[in-house]
Structures are given as structure tokens and as C-alpha cells.
Amino acid sequence: MASSVLWRTLGRTKLLPSHSLGRPAGHTEWYRNFWGTSRVFGVAPIKLHMPALSPTMEDGTIISWLKQEGDPVAAGDALCEIETDKATLTMDADDDGVMAKILVPGNTKNVRINALIALMVPEGEDYTQVDIPTETGTPSAAADTPAKAPVPAATEAASSSEFTSMRHVAGGKGHVDLSPAVRYLVDSNSLDPAAIVPSGPHGRLLKGDVLKFLAGDPNAKRQDSVPAATPSPPTPVAAPPPPPPPVTHPVVPPAAAEEDEFVDIPHTSMRRTIAKRLTQSKTTVPHAYSSIDCEMDSVLRLRKKLQGSGVKVSVNDFIIKAVGQALKSVPEVNAQWTGEAVQLLSNVDISVAVATDKGLITPIVTDVPSRGLQNISETVKELAGRARIGKLMPEEYQGGTFSVSNLGMFGISQFSAIINPPQACIMAIGGSRVLVEPAEDGHTTKTVMTVTLCSDSRVVDDALASTFLEDFKENLENPYKAALL
């Protein structure tokens, strides 16, 4: 070996004889090549992190993986199904490659946003030789992993430059590789993508990032770097006194007969979010309640006439249309409280409460005053159907300016609902009932329905609530006059 020189290049090691470097000849020339460097050094992975699929999402449940280890992946392919706080959505691939390692298996709950959940490798690489980082996205691993030391700037820059051909460019507006949904939000709101903090794989900007930015989330805005203040010298602190010796008490097991039997039902992401928002609403929003009785005979006759013509609509469709017309006539109710001002909203988008197996969700019927009754009926049926199977998109249930909750079909005559912030009102609809009233020739009957307006008294006072309910009652009792068709 003394008479030879070892040359190492990427992918091979070559042993050159001495005479090739001007030394005496006579030595045997031979070469040794290593073509399988991936088996020696490993393959650098493309990391897949838990995405933020909605502005209110803090963690999610990975229901199942649609790609398995070794499967080829093209940009745009669905990788896995993720249950958020409101719906079940798919995580799509941003790059071409091969699924190398699934770190968080299906049916894993409480996976935090940006947690590492899987690894891919570029096309042509051996996925079985992928380098597996120590970090994972499982809740237990995230809690047990200690905080890492700061990474030097040179190392961070070097790691971020790897596989730049597989990453999306993060530049100024017009130079970012965005999905159609993100591009629509950015263009329609005249936003600069470079001002929004991305949370997707490889720094990709997601729809949830834009929605958080529009909602005013400070964590979604890029902050200018501020030089860290020079820390003051530490002040010596006296050592605390030694703790007293522990006192042990004998543990007495409870009697078997005294043990209570119960069944734990784990909280879903949707249930946790509903509980959080309901508690926030009841503790921070001053609720006021106003009720009124509406005669339904004209609506029921018109509905029967439409059914005879082949047009199937529900009483709830009439109610949604009547609410939309009333909000157009009394725009002060179509508002929300911001802390700094009361915002009067120009669009009339009504959230309709739909009961699902996982909880209550409120898909939105947009621009109600401009829609016909049959169009409202078809839209509500389509949204409610997808809501029950968890297939709503975030923009279809987030937002809205007013909510309607109807329990009349369940036999409830009257109830009060909880406001869905930042909205200012929700209308609770009870069931119809027949009343008998005396008349000159005996008695008459009429069908009556009680509605209760639950309003934020900071935005809608009692007088304004009365005006709105009177307008709603007029629309519902005179459907032809109110142009509910």
C-alpha cells in the first residue's frame, strides 16, 4: 500500500499504482469501485410533515395511508387521509419520488402540526437505504424528545440546499409554486406569498397558512429579525435548603365492590374543537334571547303546491330564504364584534347547522338573497350530504355571517342556541304546532312555529332584535310578498 495512492471520488474508490505518479514501474495495477454508496452513506430523505389543513387546526388524526412504503409518488398524489377538527381531508404530495418510510402509522391520534410523519426519497434512489431521523410525529415521541441545540448557520444553509431541485421556490409574488386553491386566495386578496409563514413540506405554502394570515394570526406573518439583547450577567442565588425526607404511607387497595364501572369514549378532534368554541362563546359573549311566533299556513300551502309541480323544498329552505331577506332589510344584524369596532358585513352567508355522528358542523350557503328557493334546497342537501361523511372543504364551513339551527324535525317546540363567534346571531327554530282559537262561528285552527333569536348584545340590542324578528315574521307569513321564490 505504501507504493500506491488512494483516490476517492463520489461513488467509487480507485487505487492507482505508483508508476502512474512518476514512480518506478513494476507494480500491479488494480481498481476497486464502490457503486453502492447509498448502502454505505444512506439516502438523504424528503421529509413529510403534518400539514395545517384549517386555521383552527392544532393537531389531527392520521386515519390511513393511501401510499405504502416502496410505492412511486407523483406530485399531486394523495398520500394519506387526515381528520381535522371539522372534516376528513387528504394530504397531497408536493414532489415526485418514492415513499420510503412511514413514521406515524394509520389510526394515530393527536399528531401535532409540523410533526414528521413520513419520508420520501427522490426518484431513482433506493428507498430501503433512507436515512431515518431521530424525530418522529407520534405524540409520545414529541413529548419525550429533548430540545435540540441550535444548529450553526453554515450547517443549516448546507442542509437547506440539498435537493433544491425537489423543493418549491419561495420567492416574491408571482414566483411561488402554489396550488390552485392557494393561488386563488393570494390573488383574490392581493397578498404577497413571501409575507406568509409556510407550514407545508419543503416550505410549501398551504391554504391553511393563507387563511390564518387573513384571520390575523400573528404566527402566520413573517417577522423581521431583531438582534437579541445582550444578556445581563447572572445573579448568584443561594442554594435552596435540602428537602425534608419523604414520608411514606401504606397504600390500601379499594374494595372491588366499591369500584364504579364506566366506559371511556375518546374525544375526536371535532369534539374537542366544539367544546373549546362553545366554552369560549358562553364565557366571553353576552347572549340575549328574543322569541316570536310565526304562522306557517301560507308557507305550508305554497310548499304543497310546489310539490305538486315536482319542486321539492323543505320548510327549512323557506326559513333560510326569509332570514336572508331580513338580513338584507336590517343590515345592522349582519355584523360581528371585533373588539375595536362593529363590522357591518356586505355579504349574507348563512351557516346551517347539520348533525353528524362526530358532532355539529355548519356548512355555509353563500349569498342567500340572490338565490332562488330551489337553488337553496339543492345547495343545502349537497352540503349536508358531504358534511355527514366528512368531505367538506374548509372554506365551506368556516366563515358565515349568521347561523340557523332547526330542531323542529326532532319534536323540539322551542330552544335556545349558542352563538358561533365571530358571528353575532344564531336563530333557533322549533317545531310547528296547531293552535285552536275561538271564532264567531265556532273555532279556527292555525299552525304556529316559535323561533328564538340568540344575539350578541354588544352588537344587537333588544330593539334591533325586535325589528329583525318582525321583518323575518313578515317574510315567512307572506312568502309571495317577500319574493321567497
Side-chain angles (χ1 to χ4, degrees):
M1 283 297 208
S3 60
S4 301
V5 177
L6 186 66
W7 293 86
R8 176 170 293 174
T9 60
L10 182 61
R12 67 181 61 184
T13 301
K14 181 182 295 185
L15 190 64
L16 296 180
S18 301
H19 68 82
S20 63
L21 300 176
R23 299 209 178 164
H27 299 277
T28 304
E29 180 178 350
W30 58 283
Y31 298 87
R32 184 172 54 187
N33 297 314
F34 289 94
W35 295 99
T37 53
S38 63
R39 289 188 289 271
V40 177
F41 302 105
V43 179
I46 302 172
K47 298 180 180 180
L48 302 179
H49 295 84
M50 187 71 168
L53 299 176
S54 72
T56 58
M57 180 179 172
E58 297 178 356
D59 54 47
T61 299
I62 298 180
I63 298 178
S64 63
W65 284 93
L66 306 178
K67 293 287 186 180
Q68 302 302 318
E69 295 178 4
D71 290 350
V73 177
D77 285 354
L79 299 178
C80 63
E81 290 184 320
I82 298 175
E83 181 188 72
T84 69
D85 52 350
K86 287 293 186 180
T88 300
L89 306 172
T90 58
M91 173 183 173
D92 298 335
D94 294 326
D95 303 304
D96 298 335
V98 178
M99 179 63 70
K101 186 67 177 178
I102 295 175
L103 301 176
V104 181
N107 199 27
T108 301
K109 301 179 180 179
N110 304 332
V111 182
R112 303 292 296 179
I113 291 177
N114 293 328
L116 184 62
I117 60 176
L119 303 173
M120 287 174 50
V121 296
E123 291 179 305
E125 296 287 355
D126 185 359
Y127 75 93
T128 62
Q129 303 301 321
V130 64
D131 281 336
I132 301 178
T134 56
E135 59 171 320
T136 61
T138 55
S140 59
D144 298 338
T145 303
K148 295 184 178 181
V151 180
T155 305
E156 183 177 357
S159 62
S160 63
S161 64
E162 295 180 0
F163 294 101
T164 53
S165 61
M166 303 294 293
R167 297 174 180 265
H168 293 269
V169 181
K173 186 173 182 181
H175 300 283
V176 184
D177 188 4
L178 304 176
S179 67
V182 175
R183 171 61 65 186
Y184 173 79
L185 287 175
V186 168
D187 292 343
S188 60
N189 293 279
S190 301
L191 302 178
D192 182 4
I196 305 174
V197 177
S199 64
H202 314 313
R204 184 173 178 82
L205 192 64
L206 303 178
K207 184 191 300 181
D209 302 329
V210 183
L211 294 176
K212 282 186 178 181
F213 184 86
L214 293 174
D217 189 343
N219 295 327
K221 301 178 181 179
R222 291 189 183 272
Q223 302 293 335
D224 295 334
S225 60
V226 179
T230 304
S232 57
T235 303
V237 180
V247 179
T248 59
H249 299 279
V251 178
V252 181
E258 297 178 357
E259 294 182 357
D260 295 331
E261 295 183 359
F262 57 88
V263 177
D264 287 332
I265 302 177
H267 297 313
T268 62
S269 299
M270 179 182 289
R271 286 290 184 187
R272 286 197 303 272
T273 301
I274 291 174
K276 179 180 178 181
R277 290 183 61 82
L278 291 181
T279 303
Q280 176 189 8
S281 177
K282 289 296 287 184
T283 54
T284 62
V285 178
H287 284 55
Y289 306 94
S290 307
S291 299
I292 195 170
D293 289 337
C294 304
E295 295 185 16
M296 300 298 294
D297 297 288
S298 297
V299 166
L300 295 177
R301 285 194 296 267
L302 178 57
R303 178 172 179 255
K304 186 176 181 180
K305 182 178 178 180
L306 292 175
Q307 286 179 338
S309 303
V311 179
K312 294 183 179 181
V313 293
S314 67
V315 173
N316 202 49
D317 300 327
F318 283 94
I319 293 171
I320 294 172
K321 181 65 176 180
V323 169
Q325 293 294 94
L327 290 174
K328 187 176 180 181
S329 302
V330 190
E332 295 83 2
V333 178
N334 194 49
Q336 64 184 21
W337 177 268
T338 64
E340 299 295 332
V342 174
Q343 290 185 347
L344 297 181
L345 307 174
S346 58
N347 53 314
V348 178
D349 302 332
I350 297 180
S351 304
V352 182
V354 176
T356 70
D357 294 337
K358 298 180 180 180
L360 196 68
I361 191 169
T362 52
I364 301 170
V365 182
T366 59
D367 196 15
V368 171
S370 66
R371 293 177 182 262
L373 193 63
Q374 188 173 5
N375 181 271
I376 292 176
S377 178
E378 294 171 351
T379 302
V380 170
K381 290 177 183 176
E382 195 267 338
L383 290 173
R386 289 196 288 116
R388 293 188 177 97
I389 60 176
K391 296 300 182 182
L392 287 177
M393 300 300 294
E395 62 270 17
E396 294 176 322
Y397 59 81
Q398 293 173 354
T401 63
F402 191 100
S403 292
V404 172
S405 180
N406 191 344
L407 294 181
M409 67 284 294
F410 298 107
I412 304 300
S413 58
Q414 183 179 357
F415 72 102
S416 299
I418 301 177
I419 297 172
N420 182 23
Q423 296 178 10
C425 296
I426 181 171
M427 180 174 283
I429 311 296
S432 300
R433 62 191 185 277
V434 178
L435 297 182
V436 180
E437 295 183 345
E440 296 180 357
D441 55 349
H443 66 275
T444 59
T445 61
K446 62 180 180 180
T447 304
V448 176
M449 179 187 72
T450 301
V451 302
T452 301
L453 179 67
C454 311
S455 56
D456 184 345
S457 58
R458 299 172 300 180
V459 180
V460 180
D461 57 24
D462 295 338
L464 185 59
S466 300
T467 302
F468 174 79
L469 286 175
E470 289 175 358
D471 196 280
F472 169 78
K473 175 182 173 72
E474 178 69 18
N475 293 338
L476 202 59
E477 293 182 349
N478 301 278
Y480 288 104
K481 179 182 177 181
L484 296 191
L485 295 179

